[in-house]
Amino acid sequence: VHHFVRVASEITLSVTVEPNTRGNILVPSLTVTYSDFLVDTSDTSRMVETVFKVEYNQSSGDFKGRLGIAVGVTSFLAVVYAVVKAVGYRRRNNIIRIAPARRRLLHPLPVF
């Protein structure tokens, strides 16, 4: 006599962003796929593999807009970081040039 046990072989959590909203999500769904597992009384160390997935869905228009914002913010932070590092390098090596910058600010156009 063979004995079978039904086990979860794949579990998927699906999250969908509601279109045209500010990040609201629809009710998440959980999908479970089962498979039969033969129980053998002589082999008690046998293990069953279960796959767990998370799916995230949103419209491509929302994705492009949010990606553009993320790239812009990241670029700004990279520029600020580079300026801070450059100022620190100049300060450590006593390279301070304020006069040429001040001249350009006071006289942006050549004087004839």
Side-chain angles (χ1 to χ4, degrees), residues 33-79:
T33 305
Y34 294 98
S35 61
D36 293 331
F37 181 67
L38 177 62
V39 177
D40 186 7
T41 56
S42 63
D43 186 14
T44 58
S45 64
R46 191 165 170 199
M47 298 189 69
V48 178
E49 181 177 323
T50 301
V51 178
F52 182 73
K53 296 180 187 178
V54 176
E55 294 177 351
Y56 181 80
N57 303 311
Q58 69 180 34
S59 70
S60 62
D62 290 343
F63 175 74
K64 288 178 184 176
R66 291 188 178 133
L67 179 65
I69 291 170
V71 167
V73 169
T74 305
S75 300
F76 174 75
L77 292 175
V79 168

